[in-house]
């Protein structure tokens, strides 16, 4: 039996609310601390407790950490999912189960490992009776650790991190874990090929979830007001703000420089945030699809009245309540055209947790520069799951407050200014903050028809001029939004477009298409709408471009068709939205199904050589080549005030 080292998945099946999160995160962080690229994905139901839940950890020495559909090692603690879990193990895989589950096992093509979980915990006098079920989860960690060669010192370090150095829970859990490992060493014979060996590919990297990264980025962007209402999967954005703001925003006099308010609903949350943004505060809210639907009218007000505000949408499956605990990219077209009447939103599309942090602060700069709502579209997979990342970098540019007039500025203008007057030709007017003491600084903010000086009007020509100016603003936004990221291959003949958390799956599929089918591709990850000049150039370069996304209707594909009708025949939608994170398998197969060879034949692509997916992933790591900056040192920037429109990030 050939060893398979650092290239397999581990899936743990439990019941929701059973306390397995600590155990599963201990496995994940231990593998990370062993220097092995790894990811963890939690598949959990939307009820509070009792239904089956699965946590999948993927270790891959080549850096491929997208969702992996193949289940190599399965651990089941749940009798309700036992048969399903057993059937899901790949031939040649391993199946661990709690031996108090008395169900038939008929498979002979996998390694079977029963574990006396309850007996081991019951024999430990240091575990209180009401903690046995929780601590019992650590027994399967110990058994697994022994069988796949996990480093016990790294496991202890992971537990210490999780319990924040509190010795009593550390000892209780680690002792149970060691008991499981010792039992496995004495009683189980290794019958599967899976092993872990130390590497150094996570040196200098961190682990984080996207929602925490978004909160931290917002803090470093100077957030001053947060209006929010709880909704899965966005709640932890606000919770993280509540956790970190008191630590990072301390003043000597003990007063807060921020306000975080849980509103009565999503409408109020955005309404409060818009009010704060109008008052000159850096304001934001966070929500998911159903909440964004409720926010629509207020979003239209902020667009038309030109009030800066940041709205994080951590997407989940819709429509309606949908599947609250499944991931999606289903809100793109809705956000792009949000509100009645003619409007175009500024949208940022982070592709990893590093960009969740970066766009956390950058979104405020763009919102205040363009004077408009900025929507940041993440998703459940990126927001709630743990990802490896390079360390977050302190903002390297001064804070941009946009076009703001102070008392002296109005005096210099002799009071001649208009809130919606396009003086510079970029569609953006000048604004003042409440508290400006100049008698001519005030203006009336309204969502009704208004002229350049914010006076009410219903004149048709004035309305048209105003709407044309708002469209010019959208063009100006192209200068400030993030440009796409490119992952190119020499000799590429077709293009791939994707966005958001699909990047990890696309990079792996890009490699497989080349290695298995000889199909070389260039991959552009779009990071913002409106589209920048780089998108224009990419679309003009290829006669076949595949648009990959996690939704049913191909929403990015639809927007591209609207904006670039001249390239319609070249754009092919590869859309799939079942609530699961994107995998290389469906990206690869989706592209091959629509690829047309030079001879005009579709689908059939000659294989470069016979190679299974497993063999492919054992080759040299293109992920490291495509992301050369993964180990760059953290940059530190000194922030200096440059003008009345620039200030330090506090």
């Amino acid at each position: 039996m050939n060893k398979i080292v650092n290239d397999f998945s581990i899936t743990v099946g439990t019941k929701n609310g059973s306390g397995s999160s600590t155990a599963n995160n201990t496995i994940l962080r231990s593998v990370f601390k062993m220097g092995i690229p790894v990811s963890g994905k939690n598949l959990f139901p939307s009820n509070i407790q009792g239904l089956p839940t699965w946590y999948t950890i993927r270790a891959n020495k080549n850096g491929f950490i997208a969702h992996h559909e193949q289940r190599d090692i399965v651990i089941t603690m749940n009798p309700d999912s036992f048969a399903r879990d057993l059937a899901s193990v790949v031939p040649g895989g391993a199946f661990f189960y709690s031996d108090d589950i008395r169900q038939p096992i008929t498979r002979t093509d996998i390694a079977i490992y029963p574990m006396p979980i309850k007996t081991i915990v019951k024999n430990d006098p240091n575990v209180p009776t009401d903690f046995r079920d929780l601590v019992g989860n650590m027994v399967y960690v110990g058994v697994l650790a022994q069988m796949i060669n996990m480093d016990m010192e790294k496991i202890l370090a992971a537990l210490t991190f999780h319990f924040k150095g509190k010795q009593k829970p550390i000892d209780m859990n680690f002792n149970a874990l060691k008991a499981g490992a010792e039992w496995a060493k004495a009683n189980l014979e290794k019958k599967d090929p899976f092993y872990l060996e130390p590497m150094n590919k996570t040196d200098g990297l961190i682990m984080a979830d996207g929602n925490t990264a978004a909160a931290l980025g917002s803090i470093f962007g100077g957030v001053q007001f947060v209006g929010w209402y709880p909704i899965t999967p966005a709640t932890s954005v606000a919770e993280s703000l509540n956790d970190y703001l008191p630590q990072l925003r301390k003043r000597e006099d003990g007063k807060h420089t921020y306000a975080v308010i849980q509103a009565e609903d999503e409408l109020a949350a955005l309404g409060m945030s818009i009010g704060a943004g109008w008052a000159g505060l850096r304001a934001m809210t966070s929500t998911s699809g159903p909440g964004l639907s409720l926010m629509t009218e207020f979003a239209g007000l902020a667009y038309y009245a030109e009030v800066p505000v940041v709205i994080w949408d951590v997407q989940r499956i819709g429509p309606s309540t949908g599947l609250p605990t499944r991931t999606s990219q289903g809100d793109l077209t809705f956000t792009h055209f949000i509100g009645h009447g003619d409007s175009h939103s500024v949208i940022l599309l982070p592709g990893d947790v590093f960009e969740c942090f970066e766009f956390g602060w950058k979104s405020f700069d763009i919102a205040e520069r363009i004077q408009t709502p900025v929507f940041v579209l993440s998703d459940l997979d990126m927001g709630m799951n743990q990802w490896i990342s390079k360390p977050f970098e302190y903002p390297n540019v001064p804070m941009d407050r946009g076009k703001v007039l102070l008392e002296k500025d109005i005096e210099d203008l002799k009071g001649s200014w208009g809130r919606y007057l396009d003086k510079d030709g970029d569609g953006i007017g000048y604004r003042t903050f409440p508290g400006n003491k100049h008698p001519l600084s005030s203006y009336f903010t309204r969502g009704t028809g208004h002229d350049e000086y914010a006076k009410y009007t219903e004149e048709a020509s004035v309305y048209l001029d105003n709407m044309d100016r708002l469209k010019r603003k959208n063009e100006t936004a192209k200068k400030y939004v993030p440009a796409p990221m490119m992952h190119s291959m020499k000799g590429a003949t077709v293009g791939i477009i994707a966005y958001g958390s699909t990047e990890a799956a696309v990079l792996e599929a890009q490699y497989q298409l080349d290695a298995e089918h000889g199909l070389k591709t260039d991959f552009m990850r779009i990071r913002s709408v409106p589209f920048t000049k780089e998108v224009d150039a990419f679309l003009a370069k290829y006669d076949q471009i595949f648009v990959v996304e996690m939704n049913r209707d191909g929403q990015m594909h639809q927007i591209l068709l609207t904006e670039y009708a001249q390239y319609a025949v070249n754009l092919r939608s590869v859309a799939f939205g079942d609530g699961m994170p994107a995998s290389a398998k469906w990206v690869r197969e989706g592209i091959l199904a629509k690829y047309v060879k030079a001879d005009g034949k579709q689908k059939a692509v000659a294989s470069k050589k016979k190679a299974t997916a497993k063999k492919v992933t054992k080759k040299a790591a293109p992920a490291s080549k495509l992301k050369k900056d993964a180990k760059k040192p953290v940059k530190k920037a000194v922030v200096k005030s440059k003008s009345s429109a620039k200030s330090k990030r506090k």
Side-chain angles (χ1 to χ4, degrees), residues 111-408:
I112 305 292
Y113 301 118
M115 303 177 294
I117 303 286
K118 292 186 176 180
T119 302
I120 291 174
V121 176
K122 188 176 180 180
N123 291 336
D124 188 342
N126 296 314
V127 179
T129 304
D130 55 346
F131 276 79
R132 284 178 180 172
D133 287 343
L134 296 174
V135 176
N137 292 313
M138 281 297 164
V139 176
Y140 72 69
V141 179
V143 173
L144 177 70
Q146 174 62 33
M147 299 303 287
I148 65 172
N149 196 38
M150 290 174 65
D151 188 321
M152 295 298 281
E153 289 187 5
K154 304 301 184 186
I155 294 174
L156 180 57
L159 279 172
T160 302
F161 175 87
H162 181 83
F163 289 111
K164 300 179 180 179
K166 297 175 183 177
Q167 203 59 46
K168 186 174 180 179
I170 293 170
D171 291 342
M172 184 189 301
N173 284 273
F174 193 57
N175 287 338
L177 191 151
K178 287 192 295 183
E182 290 166 2
W183 179 89
K185 184 177 182 180
N187 294 277
L188 294 181
E189 178 187 353
K190 179 76 169 174
K191 296 179 181 178
D192 66 81
F194 305 112
Y195 293 86
L196 292 178
E197 293 181 359
M199 301 180 72
N200 60 3
K201 289 195 173 182
T202 62
D203 290 357
L205 302 181
I206 63 172
M207 289 203 82
D209 63 89
N211 285 355
T212 300
L216 288 169
S218 300
I219 293 170
F220 280 84
V223 67
Q224 295 164 298
F225 182 88
V226 183
W228 72 288
Y229 185 78
I231 185 171
T232 302
T235 297
S236 57
V237 175
E239 290 175 339
S240 295
L241 284 163
N242 276 325
D243 287 342
Y244 286 104
L245 275 166
Q247 301 177 44
L248 300 174
R249 284 285 182 82
K250 289 183 178 179
R251 276 184 23 161
E252 291 182 2
D253 59 7
K255 292 183 178 180
H256 292 165
T257 60
Y258 59 88
V260 181
I261 298 178
Q262 181 176 333
E264 61 267 33
D265 54 35
E266 288 89 349
L267 286 82
L270 181 55
M272 292 175 180
S273 300
I274 291 171
W278 173 85
L281 301 183
R282 295 205 137 184
M284 65 173 285
T285 187
S286 58
T287 190
S288 192
L292 191 63
S293 296
L294 293 172
M295 293 177 177
T296 300
E297 186 174 359
F298 265 137
L301 170 65
Y303 172 80
Y304 194 48
E306 302 179 58
V307 178
V309 65
V310 173
I311 303 166
W312 276 83
D313 174 19
V314 187
Q315 298 167 95
R316 73 190 208 191
I317 281 281
S320 189
T321 303
L323 303 177
T325 59
R326 300 291 186 272
T327 196
S328 174
Q329 293 178 323
D331 296 346
L332 184 61
T333 50
F334 172 59
T335 306
H336 183 54
F337 299 110
I338 197 166
H340 56 279
D342 295 318
S343 63
H344 289 99
S345 301
V346 175
I347 304 172
L348 305 186
L349 301 165
D352 52 34
V353 296
F354 181 86
E355 287 184 351
C356 285
F357 176 87
E358 179 187 358
F359 293 0
W361 63 263
K362 192 167 286 186
S363 56
F364 287 115
D365 284 0
I366 297 170
E368 294 204 300
R369 169 54 57 183
I370 308 300
Q371 297 175 18
T372 194
V374 170
F375 298 85
V376 190
L377 268 56
S378 174
D379 61 58
L380 183 148
D381 182 32
M382 189 190 308
M384 295 189 72
N385 288 322
Q386 294 286 321
W387 295 78
I388 56 176
S389 171
K390 58 184 179 181
F392 304 149
E393 297 177 359
Y394 189 86
N396 57 1
V397 294
M399 184 182 291
D400 185 357
R401 300 304 311 269
K403 297 183 179 183
V404 179
L405 297 177
L406 303 181
E407 288 89 342
K408 183 180 182 303

Side-chain angles (χ1 to χ4, degrees), residues 46 152 214-215 269 324 421 427 450 490 526 552 637:
S46 56
M152 295 298 281
L421 179 65
H450 49 266
K490 187 176 181 180
I526 291 177
R552 184 192 67 182

Side-chain angles (χ1 to χ4, degrees), residues 407-583:
E407 288 89 342
K408 183 180 182 303
D409 301 319
I410 298 175
E411 192 64 37
D412 291 343
L413 293 170
K414 296 182 172 27
S416 178
W417 75 285
R419 171 65 184 91
Y420 302 112
L421 179 65
D422 185 9
K423 184 178 180 181
D424 303 321
D426 57 5
I428 305 170
Y430 286 78
R431 61 179 178 142
T432 58
F433 292 149
N436 187 310
K437 296 179 181 179
H438 196 285
L440 298 177
S441 66
S442 62
Y443 62 92
F444 196 93
T445 303
R446 60 174 84 243
T448 51
H450 49 266
D451 65 12
E452 294 172 329
Y453 297 93
K455 296 178 181 178
Y456 178 75
T457 179
E458 294 183 8
E459 289 292 330
S461 60
V462 175
Y463 169 79
L464 286 175
D465 287 345
N466 196 34
M467 294 302 290
D468 287 344
R469 180 184 59 79
L470 289 173
K471 193 169 184 178
R472 282 199 302 279
K473 239 180 31 163
N474 198 62
E475 287 297 312
T476 299
K478 295 179 180 180
K479 301 176 183 177
Y480 297 96
V481 296
M485 295 291 287
M486 293 295 304
H487 301 282
S488 301
M489 282 186 170
K490 187 176 181 180
T493 56
V494 300
I496 301 173
I497 288 176
Y499 60 98
S501 66
T502 59
E503 180 181 53
V506 175
L507 287 173
E508 185 175 359
Q510 186 183 23
Y511 174 63
Q512 292 175 358
L513 287 168
D514 180 32
E516 298 180 43
H517 303 279
L519 180 59
K520 296 184 181 297
T521 60
D522 279 349
F523 166 36
M524 179 180 70
R525 177 168 60 82
I526 291 177
R527 301 199 296 164
S528 61
V529 181
F531 302 121
T532 62
K533 61 184 180 180
E534 289 84 0
V535 179
D536 304 354
F538 191 84
L539 292 175
K541 191 174 180 181
Y542 303 102
D543 58 8
Q544 293 186 74
I545 299 175
F546 302 93
V547 186
V548 176
E549 48 193 320
M550 294 189 299
N551 53 61
R552 184 192 67 182
D553 296 335
Q555 296 183 17
M556 177 64 80
H557 180 251
Q558 292 172 350
I559 296 173
L560 288 169
L561 290 177
T562 302
E563 299 285 332
Y564 300 97
Q566 68 272 33
Y567 300 122
V569 296
N570 301 338
L571 292 167
R572 290 154 198 196
S573 177
V574 179
F576 188 67
D578 65 351
M580 300 298 290
S583 71

